[in-house]
Amino acid sequence: PVLGRCAYFVERKKRFCKMIPAPGRRFCGEHGQQEEENDRKRIPCPLDPKHTVYEDQLQKHLKKCNSREKPKPVYFVQDINAGLKDVAEIPEKQVPISSLSKEELENLIIKLKKASNGLELRLKEQILSHQALQEALDDPKNGESAFKHLKQQASILGNMEKLHLLGPGRCFVEFGAGRGKLSHWVDVALQNVENVQFLLVERATTRFKVDGKHKRRDSIFERLQVDIQHLCLNKVPILEKKKLPVVGIGKHLCGAATDLTLRCLVESYTTCCDGENEEPAPKRSRNDKAEVASNDFADNESNKDSCKPVAGIVIALCCHHKCDWTHYVGREFFKSVGLGPAEFHYFQRMSSWATCGMRETTTKASTSEENKDQTNDTEEHEQTLSKTESGSDTLQGILTVEERKEIGCLCKLLIDHGRIEYLQQRGYKAALQYYTESAVSLENVLLTAVPSPSLISEPTT
Protein backbone atom coordinates (compact mmCIF):
# COMPACT_ATOMS: atom_id res chain seq x y z
CA PRO A 1 0.00 0.00 0.00
CA VAL A 2 1.01 3.61 -0.56
CA LEU A 3 2.27 5.39 2.57
CA GLY A 4 -0.46 7.52 4.12
CA ARG A 5 -3.24 5.77 2.16
CA CYS A 6 -5.75 3.09 3.19
CA ALA A 7 -4.19 -0.39 3.42
CA TYR A 8 -7.32 -2.17 2.13
CA PHE A 9 -6.85 -4.03 -1.18
CA VAL A 10 -9.85 -3.56 -3.48
CA GLU A 11 -10.12 -6.90 -5.25
CA ARG A 12 -12.51 -5.63 -7.92
CA LYS A 13 -10.12 -2.88 -9.01
CA LYS A 14 -6.91 -4.86 -8.38
CA ARG A 15 -5.38 -2.03 -6.36
CA PHE A 16 -5.26 -0.57 -2.86
CA CYS A 17 -7.88 1.93 -1.73
CA LYS A 18 -6.77 5.52 -2.37
CA MET A 19 -8.60 7.10 0.58
CA ILE A 20 -6.63 8.76 3.39
CA PRO A 21 -7.32 7.18 6.82
CA ALA A 22 -7.56 9.09 10.09
CA PRO A 23 -4.27 9.68 11.96
CA GLY A 24 -3.04 6.52 13.64
CA ARG A 25 -5.27 4.20 11.59
CA ARG A 26 -4.39 1.83 8.74
CA PHE A 27 -7.78 1.87 7.05
CA CYS A 28 -10.21 4.55 5.89
CA GLY A 29 -13.67 4.83 7.42
CA GLU A 30 -15.20 2.66 4.69
CA HIS A 31 -12.75 -0.20 5.28
CA GLY A 32 -12.14 0.43 8.98
CA GLN A 33 -14.02 -2.75 9.86
CA GLN A 34 -10.89 -4.62 8.81
CA GLU A 35 -9.07 -3.41 11.93
CA GLU A 36 -9.21 -5.97 14.67
CA GLU A 37 -9.35 -3.38 17.44
CA ASN A 38 -12.36 -1.73 15.88
CA ASP A 39 -15.51 -3.12 17.48
CA ARG A 40 -17.90 -0.66 15.77
CA LYS A 41 -20.16 -2.20 13.18
CA ARG A 42 -20.57 -0.74 9.68
CA ILE A 43 -23.84 -1.20 7.81
CA PRO A 44 -24.95 -0.32 4.24
CA CYS A 45 -26.39 3.18 3.97
CA PRO A 46 -30.20 2.89 3.57
CA LEU A 47 -30.15 5.76 1.04
CA ASP A 48 -27.42 4.24 -1.11
CA PRO A 49 -26.16 0.71 -0.29
CA LYS A 50 -23.06 1.31 -2.44
CA HIS A 51 -21.39 2.77 0.64
CA THR A 52 -21.43 1.88 4.34
CA VAL A 53 -21.63 3.84 7.57
CA TYR A 54 -20.99 3.21 11.26
CA GLU A 55 -24.23 1.95 12.79
CA ASP A 56 -23.94 4.24 15.81
CA GLN A 57 -23.54 7.26 13.49
CA LEU A 58 -26.38 6.43 11.07
CA GLN A 59 -28.72 9.29 12.06
CA LYS A 60 -25.94 11.86 11.78
CA HIS A 61 -24.88 10.44 8.39
CA LEU A 62 -28.42 10.50 6.96
CA LYS A 63 -28.56 14.29 7.45
CA LYS A 64 -25.48 14.90 5.29
CA CYS A 65 -25.40 11.89 2.93
CA ASN A 66 -24.96 12.94 -0.71
CA SER A 67 -27.75 10.52 -1.67
CA ARG A 68 -30.34 12.20 0.58
CA GLU A 69 -33.33 13.82 -1.07
CA LYS A 70 -32.52 17.48 -1.65
CA PRO A 71 -35.08 20.24 -1.10
CA LYS A 72 -37.07 20.86 -4.29
CA PRO A 73 -36.25 24.15 -6.03
CA VAL A 74 -39.01 26.76 -6.35
CA TYR A 75 -39.39 26.01 -10.07
CA PHE A 76 -40.10 22.30 -9.43
CA VAL A 77 -43.78 21.50 -10.06
CA GLN A 78 -44.45 17.76 -10.09
CA ASP A 79 -45.32 16.46 -13.60
CA ILE A 80 -46.34 19.89 -14.87
CA ASN A 81 -45.13 19.03 -18.39
CA ALA A 82 -45.89 15.30 -18.28
CA GLY A 83 -48.99 15.39 -20.47
CA LEU A 84 -51.40 12.47 -20.41
CA LYS A 85 -52.98 11.67 -17.05
CA ASP A 86 -55.84 9.47 -18.26
CA VAL A 87 -54.65 5.95 -17.40
CA ALA A 88 -57.24 4.44 -19.76
CA GLU A 89 -55.39 5.95 -22.74
CA ILE A 90 -51.96 4.66 -21.73
CA PRO A 91 -51.18 1.65 -23.96
CA GLU A 92 -50.64 -1.77 -22.51
CA LYS A 93 -47.29 -3.48 -23.02
CA GLN A 94 -46.90 -4.23 -26.73
CA VAL A 95 -45.19 -7.23 -28.30
CA PRO A 96 -41.87 -6.57 -30.10
CA ILE A 97 -41.90 -5.85 -33.83
CA SER A 98 -40.00 -9.10 -34.34
CA SER A 99 -43.02 -11.02 -32.95
CA LEU A 100 -45.46 -9.56 -35.47
CA SER A 101 -46.64 -11.73 -38.33
CA LYS A 102 -45.92 -10.70 -41.92
CA GLU A 103 -49.57 -9.70 -42.34
CA GLU A 104 -49.58 -7.58 -39.15
CA LEU A 105 -46.40 -5.79 -40.23
CA GLU A 106 -47.81 -5.13 -43.70
CA ASN A 107 -51.00 -3.69 -42.17
CA LEU A 108 -48.92 -1.36 -39.99
CA ILE A 109 -46.99 -0.13 -43.05
CA ILE A 110 -50.28 0.46 -44.94
CA LYS A 111 -51.55 2.55 -41.98
CA LEU A 112 -48.28 4.48 -41.89
CA LYS A 113 -48.37 5.33 -45.61
CA LYS A 114 -52.04 6.29 -45.46
CA ALA A 115 -51.43 8.61 -42.48
CA SER A 116 -48.39 10.14 -44.22
CA ASN A 117 -50.32 10.80 -47.42
CA GLY A 118 -50.31 14.53 -48.10
CA LEU A 119 -47.32 15.31 -45.88
CA GLU A 120 -44.26 16.96 -47.41
CA LEU A 121 -41.94 13.95 -47.56
CA ARG A 122 -38.83 15.88 -48.58
CA LEU A 123 -37.99 18.62 -46.10
CA LYS A 124 -36.44 21.89 -47.12
CA GLU A 125 -32.65 22.04 -46.80
CA GLN A 126 -31.56 24.97 -44.67
CA ILE A 127 -27.88 24.25 -44.02
CA LEU A 128 -26.51 27.53 -42.72
CA SER A 129 -23.47 28.73 -40.79
CA HIS A 130 -22.50 31.54 -38.45
CA GLN A 131 -19.43 33.74 -38.25
CA ALA A 132 -19.09 33.07 -34.51
CA LEU A 133 -17.86 29.53 -35.22
CA GLN A 134 -15.73 30.26 -38.28
CA GLU A 135 -12.46 30.39 -36.37
CA ALA A 136 -13.20 27.06 -34.65
CA LEU A 137 -14.28 25.49 -37.95
CA ASP A 138 -10.99 26.55 -39.55
CA ASP A 139 -8.88 25.27 -36.65
CA PRO A 140 -6.99 22.15 -37.82
CA LYS A 141 -6.57 21.03 -34.21
CA ASN A 142 -10.22 19.98 -34.12
CA GLY A 143 -10.70 16.33 -35.04
CA GLU A 144 -13.40 14.91 -37.30
CA SER A 145 -15.89 14.41 -34.44
CA ALA A 146 -15.44 17.96 -33.09
CA PHE A 147 -15.72 19.36 -36.62
CA LYS A 148 -19.09 17.64 -37.14
CA HIS A 149 -20.47 19.03 -33.90
CA LEU A 150 -19.21 22.52 -34.80
CA LYS A 151 -20.93 22.35 -38.21
CA GLN A 152 -24.21 21.45 -36.52
CA GLN A 153 -23.87 24.21 -33.94
CA ALA A 154 -23.00 26.72 -36.67
CA SER A 155 -26.11 25.78 -38.65
CA ILE A 156 -28.33 26.00 -35.56
CA LEU A 157 -27.01 29.53 -34.91
CA GLY A 158 -27.47 30.39 -38.59
CA ASN A 159 -31.11 29.31 -38.42
CA MET A 160 -31.60 31.30 -35.20
CA GLU A 161 -30.19 34.39 -36.90
CA LYS A 162 -32.49 33.86 -39.89
CA LEU A 163 -35.45 33.87 -37.50
CA HIS A 164 -34.15 37.07 -35.80
CA LEU A 165 -33.70 35.25 -32.48
CA LEU A 166 -30.11 36.35 -31.85
CA GLY A 167 -30.64 39.73 -30.27
CA PRO A 168 -30.60 41.77 -27.03
CA GLY A 169 -32.99 41.45 -24.13
CA ARG A 170 -33.54 37.68 -24.29
CA CYS A 171 -33.24 34.66 -22.06
CA PHE A 172 -31.91 31.61 -23.90
CA VAL A 173 -33.01 28.36 -22.27
CA GLU A 174 -30.96 25.35 -23.40
CA PHE A 175 -32.80 22.10 -22.70
CA GLY A 176 -30.76 18.93 -22.23
CA ALA A 177 -27.77 21.25 -22.00
CA GLY A 178 -25.09 18.72 -21.06
CA ARG A 179 -21.80 20.64 -21.05
CA GLY A 180 -23.55 23.76 -22.36
CA LYS A 181 -21.72 24.02 -25.69
CA LEU A 182 -24.70 25.38 -27.66
CA SER A 183 -25.25 28.19 -25.15
CA HIS A 184 -21.54 28.92 -25.24
CA TRP A 185 -21.64 29.55 -29.00
CA VAL A 186 -24.79 31.66 -28.71
CA ASP A 187 -22.92 33.72 -26.13
CA VAL A 188 -19.96 34.10 -28.51
CA ALA A 189 -22.34 35.21 -31.28
CA LEU A 190 -23.79 37.89 -28.97
CA GLN A 191 -20.53 39.50 -27.85
CA ASN A 192 -21.70 43.06 -28.49
CA VAL A 193 -25.26 42.53 -27.26
CA GLU A 194 -26.58 43.62 -23.86
CA ASN A 195 -29.09 42.20 -21.40
CA VAL A 196 -28.71 38.50 -22.25
CA GLN A 197 -29.06 35.58 -19.88
CA PHE A 198 -28.77 31.80 -20.22
CA LEU A 199 -30.58 29.04 -18.36
CA LEU A 200 -29.08 25.58 -18.85
CA VAL A 201 -31.54 22.80 -18.02
CA GLU A 202 -29.92 19.42 -17.28
CA ARG A 203 -31.17 16.81 -14.81
CA ALA A 204 -27.78 15.11 -14.42
CA THR A 205 -24.66 16.49 -12.83
CA THR A 206 -22.25 17.29 -15.66
CA ARG A 207 -18.47 17.32 -15.79
CA PHE A 208 -16.32 19.56 -17.99
CA LYS A 209 -18.98 22.28 -18.24
CA VAL A 210 -18.12 25.17 -20.55
CA ASP A 211 -20.60 27.74 -19.24
CA GLY A 212 -18.15 28.73 -16.50
CA LYS A 213 -15.54 29.70 -19.09
CA HIS A 214 -17.46 32.25 -21.14
CA LYS A 215 -15.55 35.46 -21.85
CA ARG A 216 -18.35 38.00 -21.53
CA ARG A 217 -18.67 39.14 -17.94
CA ASP A 218 -22.06 40.76 -18.42
CA SER A 219 -23.83 37.61 -19.66
CA ILE A 220 -25.54 35.59 -16.94
CA PHE A 221 -25.32 31.79 -16.93
CA GLU A 222 -27.41 29.72 -14.52
CA ARG A 223 -27.88 25.95 -14.36
CA LEU A 224 -31.19 24.34 -13.43
CA GLN A 225 -30.66 20.75 -12.29
CA VAL A 226 -34.17 19.45 -12.82
CA ASP A 227 -36.02 17.04 -15.08
CA ILE A 228 -37.81 18.96 -17.85
CA GLN A 229 -40.97 17.07 -16.86
CA HIS A 230 -41.14 19.06 -13.61
CA LEU A 231 -39.81 22.45 -14.76
CA CYS A 232 -42.04 25.51 -14.42
CA LEU A 233 -40.08 28.25 -16.18
CA ASN A 234 -42.23 31.04 -14.83
CA LYS A 235 -41.09 30.22 -11.29
CA VAL A 236 -37.36 30.51 -12.07
CA PRO A 237 -36.30 33.56 -9.98
CA ILE A 238 -34.17 35.19 -12.69
CA LEU A 239 -37.08 35.00 -15.17
CA GLU A 240 -39.54 36.28 -12.58
CA LYS A 241 -37.29 39.25 -11.93
CA LYS A 242 -36.36 40.33 -15.48
CA LYS A 243 -39.26 38.84 -17.49
CA LEU A 244 -37.16 38.66 -20.67
CA PRO A 245 -38.57 36.98 -23.80
CA VAL A 246 -37.59 33.30 -23.79
CA VAL A 247 -35.87 31.46 -26.65
CA GLY A 248 -35.86 27.67 -26.18
CA ILE A 249 -32.94 25.82 -27.78
CA GLY A 250 -31.59 22.28 -27.81
CA LYS A 251 -29.16 20.13 -29.75
CA HIS A 252 -30.20 16.49 -30.16
CA LEU A 253 -32.93 16.63 -27.56
CA CYS A 254 -33.66 12.96 -27.09
CA GLY A 255 -37.11 11.45 -27.75
CA ALA A 256 -39.73 12.36 -25.16
CA ALA A 257 -37.53 15.21 -23.88
CA THR A 258 -38.55 17.19 -26.99
CA ASP A 259 -42.24 16.78 -26.14
CA LEU A 260 -41.66 17.73 -22.50
CA THR A 261 -39.74 20.80 -23.68
CA LEU A 262 -42.47 21.92 -26.09
CA ARG A 263 -45.10 21.60 -23.40
CA CYS A 264 -42.84 23.41 -20.92
CA LEU A 265 -42.42 26.35 -23.32
CA VAL A 266 -45.82 26.82 -24.91
CA GLU A 267 -48.22 25.32 -22.38
CA SER A 268 -47.12 25.24 -18.73
CA TYR A 269 -45.12 28.48 -19.05
CA THR A 270 -48.32 30.39 -19.81
CA THR A 271 -50.40 28.25 -17.44
CA CYS A 272 -48.08 29.09 -14.55
CA CYS A 273 -48.53 32.77 -15.27
CA ASP A 274 -52.26 32.37 -14.85
CA GLY A 275 -51.83 30.41 -11.62
CA GLU A 276 -53.36 27.25 -13.09
CA ASN A 277 -50.44 24.90 -12.70
CA GLU A 278 -52.29 22.19 -10.82
CA GLU A 279 -54.11 20.57 -13.73
CA PRO A 280 -53.65 20.74 -17.50
CA ALA A 281 -56.28 22.48 -19.57
CA PRO A 282 -59.22 20.29 -20.67
CA LYS A 283 -59.13 18.83 -24.16
CA ARG A 284 -60.48 21.04 -26.91
CA SER A 285 -61.02 20.84 -30.62
CA ARG A 286 -58.44 22.33 -32.96
CA ASN A 287 -60.51 25.50 -33.54
CA ASP A 288 -61.15 25.90 -29.82
CA LYS A 289 -57.44 25.53 -29.08
CA ALA A 290 -56.48 28.19 -31.58
CA GLU A 291 -59.14 30.54 -30.21
CA VAL A 292 -58.10 29.96 -26.59
CA ALA A 293 -54.43 30.44 -27.53
CA SER A 294 -55.31 33.76 -29.17
CA ASN A 295 -57.24 34.89 -26.11
CA ASP A 296 -54.43 33.80 -23.79
CA PHE A 297 -51.84 35.74 -25.74
CA ALA A 298 -54.11 38.79 -25.95
CA ASP A 299 -54.60 38.66 -22.18
CA ASN A 300 -50.86 38.40 -21.71
CA GLU A 301 -50.32 41.52 -23.79
CA SER A 302 -52.78 43.48 -21.69
CA ASN A 303 -51.46 42.18 -18.36
CA LYS A 304 -47.96 43.42 -17.54
CA ASP A 305 -47.50 40.90 -14.76
CA SER A 306 -48.19 37.87 -16.97
CA CYS A 307 -45.52 36.28 -19.14
CA LYS A 308 -45.45 36.47 -22.92
CA PRO A 309 -45.29 33.53 -25.34
CA VAL A 310 -41.77 32.37 -26.04
CA ALA A 311 -39.95 34.38 -28.69
CA GLY A 312 -38.77 31.26 -30.48
CA ILE A 313 -37.95 27.55 -30.39
CA VAL A 314 -35.02 25.91 -32.18
CA ILE A 315 -34.47 22.21 -31.44
CA ALA A 316 -32.35 19.63 -33.25
CA LEU A 317 -34.44 16.45 -32.98
CA CYS A 318 -33.11 13.05 -31.98
CA CYS A 319 -33.92 9.47 -30.98
CA HIS A 320 -37.57 9.14 -31.97
CA HIS A 321 -37.53 5.56 -30.72
CA LYS A 322 -37.31 7.03 -27.21
CA CYS A 323 -40.63 8.88 -27.60
CA ASP A 324 -43.51 8.06 -25.28
CA TRP A 325 -47.26 8.27 -25.98
CA THR A 326 -47.81 9.55 -22.43
CA HIS A 327 -45.69 12.64 -23.08
CA TYR A 328 -46.18 13.01 -26.85
CA VAL A 329 -47.70 16.39 -27.83
CA GLY A 330 -49.09 15.17 -31.17
CA ARG A 331 -51.68 12.72 -29.85
CA GLU A 332 -54.58 14.74 -31.28
CA PHE A 333 -52.96 14.64 -34.73
CA PHE A 334 -52.48 10.87 -34.51
CA LYS A 335 -56.12 10.41 -33.58
CA SER A 336 -57.22 12.67 -36.46
CA VAL A 337 -55.57 10.29 -38.97
CA GLY A 338 -57.05 7.18 -37.35
CA LEU A 339 -54.05 6.17 -35.25
CA GLY A 340 -53.70 5.52 -31.54
CA PRO A 341 -51.24 4.44 -28.83
CA ALA A 342 -50.73 0.96 -30.30
CA GLU A 343 -49.66 2.29 -33.72
CA PHE A 344 -47.53 4.99 -32.05
CA HIS A 345 -45.66 2.32 -30.11
CA TYR A 346 -44.70 0.45 -33.27
CA PHE A 347 -43.96 3.57 -35.32
CA GLN A 348 -41.62 4.98 -32.69
CA ARG A 349 -39.76 1.65 -32.61
CA MET A 350 -39.67 1.47 -36.42
CA SER A 351 -38.32 5.04 -36.57
CA SER A 352 -34.90 3.65 -35.61
CA TRP A 353 -34.73 1.95 -39.01
CA ALA A 354 -33.98 5.37 -40.51
CA THR A 355 -30.60 5.50 -38.78
CA CYS A 356 -29.70 1.90 -38.02
CA GLY A 357 -31.77 -0.14 -40.49
CA MET A 358 -28.68 -0.47 -42.65
CA ARG A 359 -26.33 -1.41 -39.86
CA GLU A 360 -26.54 -5.13 -40.48
CA THR A 361 -24.91 -4.73 -43.88
CA THR A 362 -21.97 -2.81 -42.44
CA THR A 363 -18.88 -4.96 -41.99
CA LYS A 364 -16.63 -4.68 -38.96
CA ALA A 365 -13.84 -3.41 -41.18
CA SER A 366 -15.87 -0.38 -42.13
CA THR A 367 -16.09 0.90 -38.55
CA SER A 368 -14.03 3.98 -39.31
CA GLU A 369 -13.64 7.08 -37.17
CA GLU A 370 -16.39 8.69 -39.26
CA ASN A 371 -18.84 5.90 -38.45
CA LYS A 372 -17.94 6.16 -34.77
CA ASP A 373 -18.62 9.88 -34.85
CA GLN A 374 -22.05 9.33 -36.35
CA THR A 375 -22.86 6.72 -33.72
CA ASN A 376 -21.78 9.07 -30.94
CA ASP A 377 -23.71 11.93 -32.51
CA THR A 378 -27.01 10.09 -32.48
CA GLU A 379 -26.34 9.28 -28.84
CA GLU A 380 -25.61 5.90 -27.37
CA HIS A 381 -29.38 5.25 -27.15
CA GLU A 382 -29.42 3.86 -30.69
CA GLN A 383 -27.22 1.01 -29.54
CA THR A 384 -29.74 -0.10 -26.93
CA LEU A 385 -31.93 -1.47 -29.71
CA SER A 386 -31.80 -5.22 -30.16
CA LYS A 387 -31.01 -6.75 -33.54
CA THR A 388 -34.64 -7.67 -34.09
CA GLU A 389 -35.84 -4.13 -33.31
CA SER A 390 -33.36 -2.57 -35.75
CA GLY A 391 -34.76 -4.72 -38.49
CA SER A 392 -32.37 -7.60 -39.00
CA ASP A 393 -32.78 -11.38 -39.02
CA THR A 394 -36.55 -11.63 -38.42
CA LEU A 395 -37.42 -9.08 -41.09
CA GLN A 396 -34.95 -10.43 -43.61
CA GLY A 397 -36.88 -11.42 -46.73
CA ILE A 398 -39.86 -9.20 -45.84
CA LEU A 399 -38.23 -5.80 -46.20
CA THR A 400 -35.03 -4.72 -47.89
CA VAL A 401 -32.54 -2.41 -46.19
CA GLU A 402 -33.70 0.52 -48.31
CA GLU A 403 -37.38 -0.20 -47.55
CA ARG A 404 -36.63 -0.28 -43.82
CA LYS A 405 -34.79 3.01 -44.09
CA GLU A 406 -37.69 4.59 -46.02
CA ILE A 407 -40.24 3.35 -43.46
CA GLY A 408 -38.08 4.60 -40.58
CA CYS A 409 -37.92 8.07 -42.16
CA LEU A 410 -41.72 8.06 -42.62
CA CYS A 411 -42.22 7.19 -38.94
CA LYS A 412 -39.96 10.04 -37.85
CA LEU A 413 -41.72 12.46 -40.17
CA LEU A 414 -45.16 11.46 -38.89
CA ILE A 415 -44.11 11.88 -35.24
CA ASP A 416 -42.52 15.26 -36.00
CA HIS A 417 -45.56 16.45 -37.97
CA GLY A 418 -47.68 15.87 -34.85
CA ARG A 419 -45.35 18.26 -33.02
CA ILE A 420 -45.69 20.86 -35.79
CA GLU A 421 -49.50 20.70 -35.63
CA TYR A 422 -49.34 21.03 -31.84
CA LEU A 423 -47.33 24.25 -32.18
CA GLN A 424 -49.52 25.61 -34.97
CA GLN A 425 -52.66 25.12 -32.88
CA ARG A 426 -51.07 27.27 -30.19
CA GLY A 427 -50.39 30.15 -32.52
CA TYR A 428 -46.85 29.40 -33.65
CA LYS A 429 -45.41 29.37 -37.12
CA ALA A 430 -43.54 26.05 -37.01
CA ALA A 431 -41.39 24.20 -39.55
CA LEU A 432 -39.05 21.25 -40.04
CA GLN A 433 -35.89 21.47 -42.13
CA TYR A 434 -32.64 19.63 -42.75
CA TYR A 435 -30.03 21.72 -40.97
CA THR A 436 -26.99 19.60 -41.79
CA GLU A 437 -25.92 16.84 -44.18
CA SER A 438 -26.61 13.21 -43.27
CA ALA A 439 -22.85 12.58 -43.53
CA VAL A 440 -22.40 14.99 -40.61
CA SER A 441 -25.26 13.55 -38.56
CA LEU A 442 -27.97 11.01 -39.34
CA GLU A 443 -30.20 12.98 -36.95
CA ASN A 444 -30.27 16.08 -39.16
CA VAL A 445 -33.75 17.58 -38.71
CA LEU A 446 -34.27 20.93 -36.99
CA LEU A 447 -37.62 22.03 -35.55
CA THR A 448 -38.15 25.80 -35.45
CA ALA A 449 -41.09 27.87 -34.24
CA VAL A 450 -41.83 31.56 -33.74
CA PRO A 451 -45.09 33.25 -32.69
CA SER A 452 -47.37 33.84 -35.66
CA PRO A 453 -47.30 37.48 -36.86
CA SER A 454 -51.08 37.65 -36.51
CA LEU A 455 -50.76 36.72 -32.84
CA ILE A 456 -47.85 38.78 -31.62
CA SER A 457 -45.38 41.20 -33.17
CA GLU A 458 -41.94 39.81 -33.98
CA PRO A 459 -39.27 40.71 -31.38
CA THR A 460 -36.93 43.47 -32.43
CA THR A 461 -33.24 42.78 -32.87
Side-chain angles (χ1 to χ4, degrees), residues 1 27 56-57 93 102 105 108 113 122 125 137 141 186 198 228 233 264 301 337 340 375 417 440 445 455:
F27 299 95
D56 57 3
Q57 288 189 334
K93 190 174 180 180
K102 183 178 179 180
L105 183 61
L108 268 177
K113 291 183 176 178
R122 181 65 187 175
E125 277 196 4
L137 285 166
K141 292 180 182 177
V186 172
F198 294 89
I228 303 168
L233 274 181
C264 175
E301 283 296 299
V337 291
T375 304
H417 187 78
V440 171
V445 174
L455 212 54

Side-chain angles (χ1 to χ4, degrees), residues 288-318:
D288 289 341
K289 286 181 179 178
E291 185 179 343
V292 169
S294 300
N295 293 335
D296 285 347
F297 290 141
D299 290 343
N300 286 339
E301 283 296 299
S302 62
N303 185 356
K304 291 182 180 179
D305 293 329
S306 65
C307 59
K308 298 177 182 179
V310 295
I313 301 169
V314 180
I315 297 173
L317 303 172
C318 176

Side-chain angles (χ1 to χ4, degrees), residues 83-144:
L84 189 62
K85 290 188 177 181
D86 184 0
V87 182
E89 266 200 61
I90 299 174
E92 296 178 9
K93 190 174 180 180
Q94 305 286 339
V95 298
I97 295 172
S98 55
S99 300
L100 295 176
S101 67
K102 183 178 179 180
E103 186 181 358
E104 287 172 325
L105 183 61
E106 286 172 346
N107 285 336
L108 268 177
I109 294 170
I110 290 169
K111 284 185 178 182
L112 172 66
K113 291 183 176 178
K114 183 180 177 182
S116 306
N117 189 29
L119 300 185
E120 185 59 55
L121 300 182
R122 181 65 187 175
L123 303 181
K124 179 183 176 183
E125 277 196 4
Q126 197 141 288
I127 302 171
L128 306 176
S129 191
H130 196 280
Q131 190 59 38
L133 289 94
Q134 200 55 53
E135 187 179 338
L137 285 166
D138 294 337
D139 189 349
K141 292 180 182 177
N142 285 316
E144 187 68 19

Side-chain angles (χ1 to χ4, degrees), residues 176-194:
R179 294 174 59 199
K181 269 293 185 76
L182 186 55
S183 290
H184 165 76
W185 287 117
V186 172
D187 183 47
V188 172
L190 297 173
Q191 282 190 9
N192 301 317
V193 173
E194 296 179 349

Side-chain angles (χ1 to χ4, degrees), residues 427-446:
Y428 287 83
K429 183 180 178 183
L432 299 168
Q433 51 261 310
Y434 294 119
Y435 77 104
T436 193
E437 300 91 347
S438 58
V440 171
S441 174
L442 292 173
E443 297 281 16
N444 62 342
V445 174
L446 189 72

Side-chain angles (χ1 to χ4, degrees), residues 78-303:
Q78 184 73 38
D79 293 329
I80 188 168
N81 305 313
L84 189 62
K85 290 188 177 181
D86 184 0
V87 182
E89 266 200 61
I90 299 174
E92 296 178 9
K93 190 174 180 180
Q94 305 286 339
V95 298
I97 295 172
S98 55
S99 300
L100 295 176
S101 67
K102 183 178 179 180
E103 186 181 358
E104 287 172 325
L105 183 61
E106 286 172 346
N107 285 336
L108 268 177
I109 294 170
I110 290 169
K111 284 185 178 182
L112 172 66
K113 291 183 176 178
K114 183 180 177 182
S116 306
N117 189 29
L119 300 185
E120 185 59 55
L121 300 182
R122 181 65 187 175
L123 303 181
K124 179 183 176 183
E125 277 196 4
Q126 197 141 288
I127 302 171
L128 306 176
S129 191
H130 196 280
Q131 190 59 38
L133 289 94
Q134 200 55 53
E135 187 179 338
L137 285 166
D138 294 337
D139 189 349
K141 292 180 182 177
N142 285 316
E144 187 68 19
S145 177
F147 180 70
K148 288 181 175 183
H149 284 287
L150 287 167
K151 284 196 75 172
Q152 293 172 70
Q153 288 153 346
S155 185
I156 291 173
L157 260 66
N159 276 278
M160 290 176 70
E161 187 170 55
K162 189 177 177 70
L163 292 169
H164 308 293
L165 297 177
L166 293 178
R170 285 174 172 79
C171 177
F172 295 91
V173 185
E174 183 179 356
F175 292 86
R179 294 174 59 199
K181 269 293 185 76
L182 186 55
S183 290
H184 165 76
W185 287 117
V186 172
D187 183 47
V188 172
L190 297 173
Q191 282 190 9
N192 301 317
V193 173
E194 296 179 349
N195 198 18
V196 175
Q197 61 192 39
F198 294 89
L199 292 175
L200 281 67
V201 182
E202 177 58 63
R203 65 182 178 184
T205 52
T206 309
R207 300 175 67 193
F208 311 117
K209 297 185 281 287
V210 297
D211 37 293
K213 302 176 183 177
H214 55 89
K215 295 178 181 178
R216 296 175 65 229
R217 294 182 180 179
D218 55 337
S219 56
I220 302 169
F221 278 75
E222 185 177 328
R223 277 191 172 260
L224 308 179
Q225 190 176 339
V226 63
D227 194 310
I228 303 168
Q229 183 168 327
H230 313 300
L231 171 61
C232 178
L233 274 181
N234 191 57
K235 292 182 182 290
V236 177
I238 199 167
L239 270 178
E240 272 189 313
K241 183 180 179 182
K242 287 199 172 185
K243 290 183 167 48
L244 292 177
V246 167
V247 177
I249 60 175
K251 177 175 175 286
H252 288 179
L253 200 52
C254 181
T258 294
D259 300 298
L260 296 172
T261 295
L262 295 179
R263 199 175 274 109
C264 175
L265 289 168
V266 305
E267 200 168 320
S268 68
Y269 186 41
T270 304
T271 302
C272 281
C273 296
D274 299 332
E276 299 172 359
N277 56 8
E278 295 303 317
E279 293 292 335
K283 291 182 180 179
R284 303 180 177 95
S285 69
R286 293 187 186 184
N287 293 334
D288 289 341
K289 286 181 179 178
E291 185 179 343
V292 169
S294 300
N295 293 335
D296 285 347
F297 290 141
D299 290 343
N300 286 339
E301 283 296 299
S302 62
N303 185 356

